[in-house]
């Protein structure tokens, strides 16, 4: 049930975490294998470093299906794992590379805060019951170092209007590890909307930037 709850909110790291717990108890648990494959495939779409893990999970799911007997939805799980393997094989690594001046592959940051604020505000506004997001205090960057690319955002404070109320959220970072709400206690609907909006921003907008898109994001004009 924990796997299903986290998947409903697109909290893919949580899905992987609890699927692994279930698999440590029973390595033949088909539902845990299926959930882990779906989560890692979603993460791999945003972060190419996860492609190998997602591929390994899909292969493990297929092996578990081959060993299983008279398990509900077995054929469906086998087919989805095979389809996931096919899709993962077509994923390409983002083409973001270090700048010409960075010949020694030292620490390089590209600030894309203005672009990120606009995209994240749009995600919030499209997630009822949130009506508006504003007063963003924080930053978003692409960090390149030693042949690695990291997409990092850290917003210390954001105000949200929902219904006739205003709530301030703090410590909004990758993975939502420290997210907190201030003001009136948030409803379940508001929490779900925030989590879904941030997950969409992180996995569909931010971590999928290509070299060309990153250049546009760096040059993005500040909103008035």
């Amino acid at each position: 049930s924990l796997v299903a709850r986290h998947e409903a909110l697109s909290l893919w790291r949580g899905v992987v975490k609890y699927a692994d717990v279930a698999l440590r108890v029973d390595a033949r648990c088909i539902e845990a294998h299926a959930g882990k494959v779906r989560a890692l495939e979603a993460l791999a779409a945003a972060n190419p470093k996860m492609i190998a893990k997602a591929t390994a999970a899909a292969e493990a799911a297929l092996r578990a299906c081959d060993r299983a007997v008279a398990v509900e939805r077995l054929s469906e799980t086998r087919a989805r794992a095979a389809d996931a393997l096919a899709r993962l094989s077509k994923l390409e690594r983002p083409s973001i590379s270090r700048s010409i001046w960075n010949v020694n592959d030292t620490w390089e940051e590209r600030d894309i805060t203005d672009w990120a604020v606009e995209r994240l505000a749009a995600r919030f506004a499209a997630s009822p019951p949130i009506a508006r997001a504003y007063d963003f205090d924080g930053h978003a960057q692409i960090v390149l170092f030693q042949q690695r690319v990291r997409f990092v955002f850290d917003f210390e404070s954001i105000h949200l209007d929902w219904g006739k109320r205003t709530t301030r959220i703090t410590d909004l970072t990758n993975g939502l590890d420290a997210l907190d709400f201030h003001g009136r206690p948030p409803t379940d609907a508001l929490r779900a909307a925030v989590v879904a909006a941030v997950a969409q921003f992180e996995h569909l907008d931010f971590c999928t930037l290509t070299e060309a898109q990153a250049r546009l994001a760096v040059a993005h004009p500040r909103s008035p």
Side-chain angles (χ1 to χ4, degrees), residues 180-202:
D180 199 5
F181 292 79
H182 300 266
R184 291 187 179 182
T187 62
D188 290 342
L190 178 62
R191 284 186 179 274
V194 170
V195 168
V198 176
Q200 290 168 358
F201 164 75
E202 180 174 1

Side-chain angles (χ1 to χ4, degrees), residues 63-78:
R63 290 194 296 269
C65 289
D66 291 340
R67 294 192 298 267
V69 178
V71 176
E72 186 178 357
R73 303 177 70 177
L74 178 60
S75 59
E76 179 183 346
T77 300
R78 181 185 286 111

Side-chain angles (χ1 to χ4, degrees), residues 6 18 32 50 58 62 73 75 80 83 86 102 105 117 123-125 127 160 175 178 182-183 187 189 192 194 198:
H6 280 74
Y18 290 110
M50 302 298 294
L62 287 173
R73 303 177 70 177
S75 59
R80 288 187 174 182
D83 289 343
N102 192 4
D105 198 15
V117 166
R123 288 291 185 185
F124 279 132
S127 302
L160 303 176
H182 300 266
T187 62
V194 170
V198 176

Side-chain angles (χ1 to χ4, degrees), residues 48-208:
K49 295 176 184 177
M50 302 298 294
I51 294 176
K53 289 184 178 180
T55 299
E59 292 172 343
L62 287 173
R63 290 194 296 269
C65 289
D66 291 340
R67 294 192 298 267
V69 178
V71 176
E72 186 178 357
R73 303 177 70 177
L74 178 60
S75 59
E76 179 183 346
T77 300
R78 181 185 286 111
R80 288 187 174 182
D83 289 343
L85 273 178
R87 289 190 294 269
L88 287 164
S89 67
K90 299 176 182 179
L91 290 180
E92 298 181 357
R93 186 174 298 276
S95 56
I96 294 181
S97 56
R98 65 180 185 268
S99 301
I100 296 175
W101 60 263
N102 192 4
V103 293
N104 294 322
D105 198 15
T106 57
W107 187 273
E108 177 182 347
E109 296 178 356
R110 300 184 190 178
D111 184 82
I112 56 172
T113 301
D114 293 338
W115 171 88
V117 166
E118 184 172 300
R119 290 301 307 141
L120 189 50
R123 288 291 185 185
F124 279 132
S127 302
I130 301 171
R132 184 169 71 109
Y134 56 98
D135 285 350
F136 286 74
D137 181 11
H139 65 267
Q141 298 172 321
I142 301 172
V143 178
L144 301 95
F145 182 58
Q146 295 184 344
Q147 299 183 345
R148 297 181 62 186
V149 180
R150 296 179 59 207
F151 299 86
V152 180
F153 63 89
D154 185 354
F155 290 99
E156 298 178 5
S157 176
I158 302 172
H159 284 80
L160 303 176
D161 286 347
W162 57 289
K164 296 181 179 180
R165 308 176 185 177
T166 297
T167 292
R168 185 170 68 95
I169 58 175
T170 58
D171 299 321
L172 183 65
T173 61
N174 299 70
L176 295 172
D177 294 329
L179 176 65
D180 199 5
F181 292 79
H182 300 266
R184 291 187 179 182
T187 62
D188 290 342
L190 178 62
R191 284 186 179 274
V194 170
V195 168
V198 176
Q200 290 168 358
F201 164 75
E202 180 174 1
H203 300 300
L204 301 180
D205 300 329
F206 190 34
C207 294
T208 57

